[in-house]
PDB file of all heavy atoms in Angstrom:
ATOM      1  N   LEU G 377     100.442  95.736  86.506  1.00 98.00           N
ATOM      2  CA  LEU G 377     100.933  95.463  85.120  1.00 98.00           C
ATOM      3  C   LEU G 377     101.011  96.743  84.306  1.00 98.00           C
ATOM      4  O   LEU G 377     100.721  96.750  83.137  1.00 98.00           O
ATOM      5  CB  LEU G 377      99.973  94.427  84.431  1.00 98.00           C
ATOM      6  CG  LEU G 377      99.757  93.111  85.194  1.00 98.00           C
ATOM      7  CD1 LEU G 377      98.646  92.302  84.528  1.00 98.00           C
ATOM      8  CD2 LEU G 377     101.116  92.290  85.202  1.00 98.00           C
ATOM      9  N   GLY G 378     101.387  97.789  84.995  1.00 97.00           N
ATOM     10  CA  GLY G 378     101.482  99.117  84.335  1.00 97.00           C
ATOM     11  C   GLY G 378     100.138  99.825  84.365  1.00 97.00           C
ATOM     12  O   GLY G 378      99.205  99.445  85.164  1.00 97.00           O
ATOM     13  N   LYS G 379     100.015 100.799  83.520  1.00 94.00           N
ATOM     14  CA  LYS G 379      98.893 101.758  83.582  1.00 94.00           C
ATOM     15  C   LYS G 379      97.543 101.027  83.459  1.00 94.00           C
ATOM     16  O   LYS G 379      97.290 100.323  82.459  1.00 94.00           O
ATOM     17  CB  LYS G 379      99.035 102.784  82.449  1.00 94.00           C
ATOM     18  CG  LYS G 379      98.368 104.044  82.760  1.00 94.00           C
ATOM     19  CD  LYS G 379      98.810 105.150  81.880  1.00 94.00           C
ATOM     20  CE  LYS G 379      98.178 106.396  82.387  1.00 94.00           C
ATOM     21  NZ  LYS G 379      97.642 107.285  81.420  1.00 94.00           N
ATOM     22  N   GLY G 380      96.727 101.121  84.485  1.00 94.00           N
ATOM     23  CA  GLY G 380      95.306 100.624  84.461  1.00 94.00           C
ATOM     24  C   GLY G 380      95.210  99.128  84.402  1.00 94.00           C
ATOM     25  O   GLY G 380      94.089  98.614  84.160  1.00 94.00           O
ATOM     26  N   GLU G 381      96.308  98.392  84.630  1.00 97.00           N
ATOM     27  CA  GLU G 381      96.227  96.911  84.548  1.00 97.00           C
ATOM     28  C   GLU G 381      96.903  96.309  85.777  1.00 97.00           C
ATOM     29  O   GLU G 381      97.940  96.786  86.212  1.00 97.00           O
ATOM     30  CB  GLU G 381      96.990  96.440  83.317  1.00 97.00           C
ATOM     31  CG  GLU G 381      96.171  96.529  82.024  1.00 97.00           C
ATOM     32  CD  GLU G 381      95.117  95.427  81.872  1.00 97.00           C
ATOM     33  OE1 GLU G 381      95.046  94.573  82.782  1.00 97.00           O
ATOM     34  OE2 GLU G 381      94.456  95.444  80.847  1.00 97.00           O
ATOM     35  N   ALA G 382      96.295  95.222  86.247  1.00 98.00           N
ATOM     36  CA  ALA G 382      96.911  94.482  87.325  1.00 98.00           C
ATOM     37  C   ALA G 382      96.262  93.112  87.427  1.00 98.00           C
ATOM     38  O   ALA G 382      95.235  92.837  86.716  1.00 98.00           O
ATOM     39  CB  ALA G 382      96.718  95.198  88.653  1.00 98.00           C
ATOM     40  N   VAL G 383      96.822  92.251  88.227  1.00 98.00           N
ATOM     41  CA  VAL G 383      96.159  90.981  88.528  1.00 98.00           C
ATOM     42  C   VAL G 383      96.199  90.869  90.059  1.00 98.00           C
ATOM     43  O   VAL G 383      97.145  91.285  90.753  1.00 98.00           O
ATOM     44  CB  VAL G 383      96.893  89.750  87.916  1.00 98.00           C
ATOM     45  CG1 VAL G 383      96.484  89.544  86.487  1.00 98.00           C
ATOM     46  CG2 VAL G 383      98.402  89.804  88.101  1.00 98.00           C
ATOM     47  N   ALA G 384      95.131  90.258  90.598  1.00 98.00           N
ATOM     48  CA  ALA G 384      95.070  90.122  92.041  1.00 98.00           C
ATOM     49  C   ALA G 384      94.389  88.851  92.476  1.00 98.00           C
ATOM     50  O   ALA G 384      93.499  88.336  91.855  1.00 98.00           O
ATOM     51  CB  ALA G 384      94.318  91.338  92.636  1.00 98.00           C
ATOM     52  N   SER G 385      94.883  88.370  93.608  1.00 97.00           N
ATOM     53  CA  SER G 385      94.233  87.219  94.188  1.00 97.00           C
ATOM     54  C   SER G 385      94.023  87.572  95.670  1.00 97.00           C
ATOM     55  O   SER G 385      94.956  87.762  96.446  1.00 97.00           O
ATOM     56  CB  SER G 385      95.196  85.986  94.145  1.00 97.00           C
ATOM     57  OG  SER G 385      94.797  85.005  94.969  1.00 97.00           O
ATOM     58  N   ALA G 386      92.723  87.896  95.974  1.00 93.00           N
ATOM     59  CA  ALA G 386      92.434  88.367  97.350  1.00 93.00           C
ATOM     60  C   ALA G 386      91.032  88.027  97.691  1.00 93.00           C
ATOM     61  O   ALA G 386      90.175  87.864  96.837  1.00 93.00           O
ATOM     62  CB  ALA G 386      92.581  89.880  97.327  1.00 93.00           C
ATOM     63  N   PHE G 387      90.803  87.868  98.985  1.00 88.00           N
ATOM     64  CA  PHE G 387      89.460  87.481  99.556  1.00 88.00           C
ATOM     65  C   PHE G 387      88.922  86.268  98.811  1.00 88.00           C
ATOM     66  O   PHE G 387      87.717  86.156  98.578  1.00 88.00           O
ATOM     67  CB  PHE G 387      88.410  88.688  99.371  1.00 88.00           C
ATOM     68  CG  PHE G 387      88.969  90.033  99.621  1.00 88.00           C
ATOM     69  CD1 PHE G 387      89.049  90.977  98.610  1.00 88.00           C
ATOM     70  CD2 PHE G 387      89.421  90.365 100.899  1.00 88.00           C
ATOM     71  CE1 PHE G 387      89.566  92.215  98.850  1.00 88.00           C
ATOM     72  CE2 PHE G 387      89.952  91.666 101.135  1.00 88.00           C
ATOM     73  CZ  PHE G 387      90.021  92.571 100.089  1.00 88.00           C
ATOM     74  N   GLY G 388      89.822  85.293  98.494  1.00 90.00           N
ATOM     75  CA  GLY G 388      89.446  84.049  97.871  1.00 90.00           C
ATOM     76  C   GLY G 388      88.954  84.213  96.454  1.00 90.00           C
ATOM     77  O   GLY G 388      88.371  83.320  95.831  1.00 90.00           O
ATOM     78  N   LYS G 389      89.200  85.393  95.829  1.00 96.00           N
ATOM     79  CA  LYS G 389      88.713  85.622  94.416  1.00 96.00           C
ATOM     80  C   LYS G 389      89.898  86.081  93.602  1.00 96.00           C
ATOM     81  O   LYS G 389      90.945  86.556  94.099  1.00 96.00           O
ATOM     82  CB  LYS G 389      87.657  86.735  94.457  1.00 96.00           C
ATOM     83  CG  LYS G 389      86.346  86.249  94.933  1.00 96.00           C
ATOM     84  CD  LYS G 389      85.310  87.312  94.650  1.00 96.00           C
ATOM     85  CE  LYS G 389      83.936  86.875  95.154  1.00 96.00           C
ATOM     86  NZ  LYS G 389      83.046  87.953  95.324  1.00 96.00           N
ATOM     87  N   LYS G 390      89.681  86.055  92.250  1.00 97.00           N
ATOM     88  CA  LYS G 390      90.670  86.523  91.334  1.00 97.00           C
ATOM     89  C   LYS G 390      90.175  87.779  90.688  1.00 97.00           C
ATOM     90  O   LYS G 390      89.017  87.897  90.350  1.00 97.00           O
ATOM     91  CB  LYS G 390      90.917  85.491  90.185  1.00 97.00           C
ATOM     92  CG  LYS G 390      91.306  84.140  90.657  1.00 97.00           C
ATOM     93  CD  LYS G 390      91.391  83.183  89.459  1.00 97.00           C
ATOM     94  CE  LYS G 390      91.376  81.740  89.919  1.00 97.00           C
ATOM     95  NZ  LYS G 390      91.448  80.798  88.860  1.00 97.00           N
ATOM     96  N   TYR G 391      91.098  88.733  90.497  1.00 97.00           N
ATOM     97  CA  TYR G 391      90.727  90.015  89.783  1.00 97.00           C
ATOM     98  C   TYR G 391      91.748  90.280  88.731  1.00 97.00           C
ATOM     99  O   TYR G 391      92.918  90.034  88.859  1.00 97.00           O
ATOM    100  CB  TYR G 391      90.736  91.194  90.833  1.00 97.00           C
ATOM    101  CG  TYR G 391      89.796  90.936  92.007  1.00 97.00           C
ATOM    102  CD1 TYR G 391      90.275  90.264  93.119  1.00 97.00           C
ATOM    103  CD2 TYR G 391      88.526  91.368  92.062  1.00 97.00           C
ATOM    104  CE1 TYR G 391      89.451  90.059  94.264  1.00 97.00           C
ATOM    105  CE2 TYR G 391      87.695  91.226  93.167  1.00 97.00           C
ATOM    106  CZ  TYR G 391      88.173  90.529  94.237  1.00 97.00           C
ATOM    107  OH  TYR G 391      87.375  90.303  95.304  1.00 97.00           O
ATOM    108  N   LYS G 392      91.223  90.863  87.579  1.00 97.00           N
ATOM    109  CA  LYS G 392      92.090  91.214  86.499  1.00 97.00           C
ATOM    110  C   LYS G 392      91.746  92.587  85.970  1.00 97.00           C
ATOM    111  O   LYS G 392      90.643  93.060  86.176  1.00 97.00           O
ATOM    112  CB  LYS G 392      91.854  90.275  85.322  1.00 97.00           C
ATOM    113  CG  LYS G 392      92.043  88.789  85.594  1.00 97.00           C
ATOM    114  CD  LYS G 392      91.572  88.088  84.328  1.00 97.00           C
ATOM    115  CE  LYS G 392      91.216  86.660  84.639  1.00 97.00           C
ATOM    116  NZ  LYS G 392      90.401  85.971  83.685  1.00 97.00           N
ATOM    117  N   GLY G 393      92.736  93.213  85.344  1.00 97.00           N
ATOM    118  CA  GLY G 393      92.486  94.486  84.647  1.00 97.00           C
ATOM    119  C   GLY G 393      92.286  95.666  85.575  1.00 97.00           C
ATOM    120  O   GLY G 393      92.861  95.820  86.651  1.00 97.00           O
ATOM    121  N   TRP G 394      91.288  96.514  85.160  1.00 96.00           N
ATOM    122  CA  TRP G 394      91.095  97.799  85.794  1.00 96.00           C
ATOM    123  C   TRP G 394      90.765  97.575  87.284  1.00 96.00           C
ATOM    124  O   TRP G 394      91.250  98.280  88.171  1.00 96.00           O
ATOM    125  CB  TRP G 394      89.980  98.500  85.046  1.00 96.00           C
ATOM    126  CG  TRP G 394      89.671  99.886  85.631  1.00 96.00           C
ATOM    127  CD1 TRP G 394      90.336 101.029  85.301  1.00 96.00           C
ATOM    128  CD2 TRP G 394      88.691 100.249  86.616  1.00 96.00           C
ATOM    129  NE1 TRP G 394      89.829 102.065  86.049  1.00 96.00           N
ATOM    130  CE2 TRP G 394      88.820 101.591  86.874  1.00 96.00           C
ATOM    131  CE3 TRP G 394      87.721  99.521  87.335  1.00 96.00           C
ATOM    132  CZ2 TRP G 394      88.006 102.271  87.748  1.00 96.00           C
ATOM    133  CZ3 TRP G 394      86.926 100.198  88.246  1.00 96.00           C
ATOM    134  CH2 TRP G 394      87.094 101.562  88.424  1.00 96.00           C
ATOM    135  N   ILE G 395      89.868  96.626  87.603  1.00 96.00           N
ATOM    136  CA  ILE G 395      89.437  96.448  88.911  1.00 96.00           C
ATOM    137  C   ILE G 395      90.604  96.014  89.869  1.00 96.00           C
ATOM    138  O   ILE G 395      90.768  96.511  91.030  1.00 96.00           O
ATOM    139  CB  ILE G 395      88.255  95.427  89.022  1.00 96.00           C
ATOM    140  CG1 ILE G 395      87.766  95.238  90.476  1.00 96.00           C
ATOM    141  CG2 ILE G 395      88.572  94.037  88.484  1.00 96.00           C
ATOM    142  CD1 ILE G 395      86.596  96.151  90.766  1.00 96.00           C
ATOM    143  N   ALA G 396      91.509  95.167  89.325  1.00 97.00           N
ATOM    144  CA  ALA G 396      92.688  94.765  90.095  1.00 97.00           C
ATOM    145  C   ALA G 396      93.610  95.999  90.252  1.00 97.00           C
ATOM    146  O   ALA G 396      94.221  96.141  91.347  1.00 97.00           O
ATOM    147  CB  ALA G 396      93.403  93.611  89.415  1.00 97.00           C
ATOM    148  N   ALA G 397      93.663  96.836  89.254  1.00 96.00           N
ATOM    149  CA  ALA G 397      94.555  98.044  89.384  1.00 96.00           C
ATOM    150  C   ALA G 397      94.005  98.979  90.465  1.00 96.00           C
ATOM    151  O   ALA G 397      94.780  99.594  91.191  1.00 96.00           O
ATOM    152  CB  ALA G 397      94.584  98.808  88.061  1.00 96.00           C
ATOM    153  N   GLN G 398      92.680  99.043  90.623  1.00 95.00           N
ATOM    154  CA  GLN G 398      92.064  99.896  91.685  1.00 95.00           C
ATOM    155  C   GLN G 398      92.442  99.293  93.039  1.00 95.00           C
ATOM    156  O   GLN G 398      92.667  99.995  93.963  1.00 95.00           O
ATOM    157  CB  GLN G 398      90.540  99.988  91.533  1.00 95.00           C
ATOM    158  CG  GLN G 398      90.109 100.583  90.199  1.00 95.00           C
ATOM    159  CD  GLN G 398      90.975 101.752  89.767  1.00 95.00           C
ATOM    160  OE1 GLN G 398      91.148 102.722  90.405  1.00 95.00           O
ATOM    161  NE2 GLN G 398      91.612 101.610  88.503  1.00 95.00           N
ATOM    162  N   LEU G 399      92.414  97.908  93.049  1.00 95.00           N
ATOM    163  CA  LEU G 399      92.770  97.220  94.320  1.00 95.00           C
ATOM    164  C   LEU G 399      94.193  97.578  94.730  1.00 95.00           C
ATOM    165  O   LEU G 399      94.493  97.788  95.940  1.00 95.00           O
ATOM    166  CB  LEU G 399      92.607  95.727  94.053  1.00 95.00           C
ATOM    167  CG  LEU G 399      92.071  94.847  95.142  1.00 95.00           C
ATOM    168  CD1 LEU G 399      90.746  95.343  95.683  1.00 95.00           C
ATOM    169  CD2 LEU G 399      91.904  93.420  94.682  1.00 95.00           C
ATOM    170  N   LYS G 400      95.083  97.639  93.763  1.00 94.00           N
ATOM    171  CA  LYS G 400      96.455  97.960  94.045  1.00 94.00           C
ATOM    172  C   LYS G 400      96.566  99.356  94.670  1.00 94.00           C
ATOM    173  O   LYS G 400      97.323  99.595  95.631  1.00 94.00           O
ATOM    174  CB  LYS G 400      97.272  97.909  92.769  1.00 94.00           C
ATOM    175  CG  LYS G 400      98.760  98.291  92.922  1.00 94.00           C
ATOM    176  CD  LYS G 400      99.612  97.080  93.382  1.00 94.00           C
ATOM    177  CE  LYS G 400     101.043  97.449  93.473  1.00 94.00           C
ATOM    178  NZ  LYS G 400     101.771  96.405  94.237  1.00 94.00           N
ATOM    179  N   LYS G 401      95.736 100.288  94.171  1.00 94.00           N
ATOM    180  CA  LYS G 401      95.752 101.677  94.702  1.00 94.00           C
ATOM    181  C   LYS G 401      95.262 101.634  96.171  1.00 94.00           C
ATOM    182  O   LYS G 401      95.759 102.346  96.976  1.00 94.00           O
ATOM    183  CB  LYS G 401      94.896 102.571  93.846  1.00 94.00           C
ATOM    184  CG  LYS G 401      95.610 102.948  92.566  1.00 94.00           C
ATOM    185  CD  LYS G 401      94.784 103.929  91.754  1.00 94.00           C
ATOM    186  CE  LYS G 401      95.428 104.034  90.365  1.00 94.00           C
ATOM    187  NZ  LYS G 401      94.555 104.658  89.390  1.00 94.00           N
ATOM    188  N   VAL G 402      94.218 100.807  96.366  1.00 93.00           N
ATOM    189  CA  VAL G 402      93.632 100.776  97.724  1.00 93.00           C
ATOM    190  C   VAL G 402      94.707 100.237  98.684  1.00 93.00           C
ATOM    191  O   VAL G 402      94.894 100.801  99.801  1.00 93.00           O
ATOM    192  CB  VAL G 402      92.381  99.891  97.747  1.00 93.00           C
ATOM    193  CG1 VAL G 402      91.910  99.640  99.137  1.00 93.00           C
ATOM    194  CG2 VAL G 402      91.285 100.506  96.896  1.00 93.00           C
ATOM    195  N   VAL G 403      95.432  99.224  98.236  1.00 94.00           N
ATOM    196  CA  VAL G 403      96.504  98.609  99.101  1.00 94.00           C
ATOM    197  C   VAL G 403      97.542  99.681  99.433  1.00 94.00           C
ATOM    198  O   VAL G 403      97.951  99.862 100.556  1.00 94.00           O
ATOM    199  CB  VAL G 403      97.209  97.398  98.380  1.00 94.00           C
ATOM    200  CG1 VAL G 403      98.348  96.892  99.187  1.00 94.00           C
ATOM    201  CG2 VAL G 403      96.182  96.258  98.201  1.00 94.00           C
ATOM    202  N   ASP G 404      97.970 100.421  98.351  1.00 94.00           N
ATOM    203  CA  ASP G 404      98.995 101.448  98.570  1.00 94.00           C
ATOM    204  C   ASP G 404      98.506 102.527  99.527  1.00 94.00           C
ATOM    205  O   ASP G 404      99.207 102.972 100.430  1.00 94.00           O
ATOM    206  CB  ASP G 404      99.370 102.124  97.205  1.00 94.00           C
ATOM    207  CG  ASP G 404     100.189 101.178  96.365  1.00 94.00           C
ATOM    208  OD1 ASP G 404     100.595 100.133  96.797  1.00 94.00           O
ATOM    209  OD2 ASP G 404     100.297 101.453  95.145  1.00 94.00           O
ATOM    210  N   MET G 405      97.198 102.917  99.323  1.00 94.00           N
ATOM    211  CA  MET G 405      96.688 104.026 100.117  1.00 94.00           C
ATOM    212  C   MET G 405      96.485 103.594 101.583  1.00 94.00           C
ATOM    213  O   MET G 405      96.608 104.361 102.516  1.00 94.00           O
ATOM    214  CB  MET G 405      95.444 104.612  99.451  1.00 94.00           C
ATOM    215  CG  MET G 405      95.864 105.404  98.281  1.00 94.00           C
ATOM    216  SD  MET G 405      94.703 106.590  97.778  1.00 94.00           S
ATOM    217  CE  MET G 405      93.846 105.709  96.475  1.00 94.00           C
ATOM    218  N   ARG G 406      96.077 102.347 101.735  1.00 95.00           N
ATOM    219  CA  ARG G 406      95.897 101.789 103.046  1.00 95.00           C
ATOM    220  C   ARG G 406      97.199 101.877 103.820  1.00 95.00           C
ATOM    221  O   ARG G 406      97.225 102.314 105.022  1.00 95.00           O
ATOM    222  CB  ARG G 406      95.416 100.324 103.001  1.00 95.00           C
ATOM    223  CG  ARG G 406      95.271  99.644 104.315  1.00 95.00           C
ATOM    224  CD  ARG G 406      94.748  98.259 104.223  1.00 95.00           C
ATOM    225  NE  ARG G 406      94.767  97.582 105.492  1.00 95.00           N
ATOM    226  CZ  ARG G 406      95.731  96.857 105.972  1.00 95.00           C
ATOM    227  NH1 ARG G 406      96.853  96.669 105.248  1.00 95.00           N
ATOM    228  NH2 ARG G 406      95.657  96.274 107.156  1.00 95.00           N
ATOM    229  N   TYR G 407      98.293 101.590 103.154  1.00 96.00           N
ATOM    230  CA  TYR G 407      99.602 101.630 103.849  1.00 96.00           C
ATOM    231  C   TYR G 407      99.924 103.067 104.202  1.00 96.00           C
ATOM    232  O   TYR G 407     100.354 103.351 105.356  1.00 96.00           O
ATOM    233  CB  TYR G 407     100.688 101.029 102.946  1.00 96.00           C
ATOM    234  CG  TYR G 407     102.059 101.141 103.618  1.00 96.00           C
ATOM    235  CD1 TYR G 407     102.262 100.406 104.779  1.00 96.00           C
ATOM    236  CD2 TYR G 407     103.095 101.982 103.164  1.00 96.00           C
ATOM    237  CE1 TYR G 407     103.527 100.501 105.467  1.00 96.00           C
ATOM    238  CE2 TYR G 407     104.257 102.026 103.791  1.00 96.00           C
ATOM    239  CZ  TYR G 407     104.495 101.320 104.962  1.00 96.00           C
ATOM    240  OH  TYR G 407     105.701 101.445 105.621  1.00 96.00           O
ATOM    241  N   LEU G 408      99.684 103.963 103.305  1.00 95.00           N
ATOM    242  CA  LEU G 408      99.991 105.386 103.571  1.00 95.00           C
ATOM    243  C   LEU G 408      99.179 105.867 104.773  1.00 95.00           C
ATOM    244  O   LEU G 408      99.660 106.560 105.654  1.00 95.00           O
ATOM    245  CB  LEU G 408      99.660 106.303 102.379  1.00 95.00           C
ATOM    246  CG  LEU G 408     100.546 106.043 101.111  1.00 95.00           C
ATOM    247  CD1 LEU G 408     100.036 106.905  99.955  1.00 95.00           C
ATOM    248  CD2 LEU G 408     102.028 106.370 101.419  1.00 95.00           C
ATOM    249  N   PHE G 409      97.939 105.403 104.840  1.00 96.00           N
ATOM    250  CA  PHE G 409      97.035 105.727 105.931  1.00 96.00           C
ATOM    251  C   PHE G 409      97.522 105.232 107.238  1.00 96.00           C
ATOM    252  O   PHE G 409      97.551 105.912 108.276  1.00 96.00           O
ATOM    253  CB  PHE G 409      95.580 105.318 105.673  1.00 96.00           C
ATOM    254  CG  PHE G 409      94.643 105.723 106.697  1.00 96.00           C
ATOM    255  CD1 PHE G 409      94.209 107.049 106.760  1.00 96.00           C
ATOM    256  CD2 PHE G 409      94.189 104.826 107.713  1.00 96.00           C
ATOM    257  CE1 PHE G 409      93.317 107.460 107.768  1.00 96.00           C
ATOM    258  CE2 PHE G 409      93.327 105.244 108.699  1.00 96.00           C
ATOM    259  CZ  PHE G 409      92.877 106.569 108.733  1.00 96.00           C
ATOM    260  N   ILE G 410      97.914 103.970 107.204  1.00 96.00           N
ATOM    261  CA  ILE G 410      98.432 103.321 108.470  1.00 96.00           C
ATOM    262  C   ILE G 410      99.630 104.057 108.979  1.00 96.00           C
ATOM    263  O   ILE G 410      99.724 104.348 110.217  1.00 96.00           O
ATOM    264  CB  ILE G 410      98.807 101.848 108.248  1.00 96.00           C
ATOM    265  CG1 ILE G 410      97.539 100.988 107.946  1.00 96.00           C
ATOM    266  CG2 ILE G 410      99.576 101.230 109.373  1.00 96.00           C
ATOM    267  CD1 ILE G 410      97.789  99.554 107.578  1.00 96.00           C
TER     268      ILE G 410
END
Side-chain angles (χ1 to χ4, degrees):
L377 302 172
K379 207 163 186 223
E381 279 284 359
V383 279
S385 163
F387 320 114
K389 287 191 179 159
K390 303 175 198 180
Y391 303 87
K392 303 171 200 164
W394 183 85
I395 183 92
Q398 303 318 303
L399 217 53
K400 180 82 179 168
K401 283 182 191 165
V402 172
V403 172
D404 289 348
M405 287 201 262
R406 177 178 174 268
Y407 180 64
L408 295 176
F409 183 75
I410 289 172

